[in-house]
């Protein structure tokens, strides 16, 4: 019912920046919150950042505060993750997610998921 397509991943040196994009389509009328998760090899998928479409409420995990910013273009149904001061430990597959509320998307239960985009940060 909801399709999410990520783009913008790639290889970057430590200290560099990337911007990920997530375009939502389909029956998006019930998805009021969007988020970004990441999963590194051997680790669990973790919520990185999330926000509501219109209310402006946001969530960031402690390890990315001050470095990552989640934003959205309402007209384009697109959510972005601006990643600055990247570190090797940020290397992971990054997934876009959508749900009905901010708390739900961060928790992950019942999320719609994108296919993921690889982010690799070299030292």
């Amino acid at each position: 019912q909801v399709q999410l397509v990520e783009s913008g991943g790639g290889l970057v040196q430590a200290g560099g920046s990337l911007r990920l994009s997530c375009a939502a389509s389909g029956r998006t009328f019930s998805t009021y919150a969007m988020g970004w998760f990441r999963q590194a090899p051997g680790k669990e998928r973790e919520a990185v950042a999330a926000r509501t479409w219109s209310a402006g409420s946001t969530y960031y995990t402690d390890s990315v505060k001050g470095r990552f910013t989640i934003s959205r273009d309402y007209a384009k149904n697109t959510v972005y993750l601006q990643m600055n001061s990247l570190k090797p430990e940020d290397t992971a597959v990054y997934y876009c997610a959508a749900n009905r509320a901010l708390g739900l998307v961060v928790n992950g239960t019942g999320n719609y998921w994108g296919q993921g985009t690889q982010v690799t940060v070299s030292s």
Side-chain angles (χ1 to χ4, degrees), residues 16-84:
S17 299
L18 284 173
R19 188 179 73 159
L20 306 183
S21 299
C22 174
S25 61
R27 301 176 67 87
T28 61
F29 58 86
S30 62
T31 56
Y32 301 114
M34 303 284 289
W36 288 96
F37 285 66
R38 66 186 180 188
Q39 187 167 27
K43 296 185 178 180
E44 294 185 353
R45 188 174 298 188
E46 65 169 339
V48 176
R51 69 161 293 147
T52 56
W53 274 110
S54 60
S57 299
T58 59
Y59 163 86
Y60 295 97
T61 192
D62 287 344
S63 64
V64 308
K65 288 180 179 178
R67 299 189 298 121
F68 291 9
T69 302
I70 186 169
S71 62
R72 61 97 175 90
D73 186 326
Y74 188 83
K76 295 181 178 179
N77 285 156
T78 299
V79 172
Y80 306 96
L81 185 67
Q82 179 67 46
M83 305 185 293
N84 298 326

Side-chain angles (χ1 to χ4, degrees), residues 98-122:
N99 214 315
R100 299 181 66 252
L102 184 65
L104 293 177
V105 77
V106 171
N107 177 265
T109 302
N111 279 356
Y112 294 98
W113 296 101
Q115 292 295 311
T117 184
Q118 177 71 48
V119 172
T120 302
V121 184
S122 63

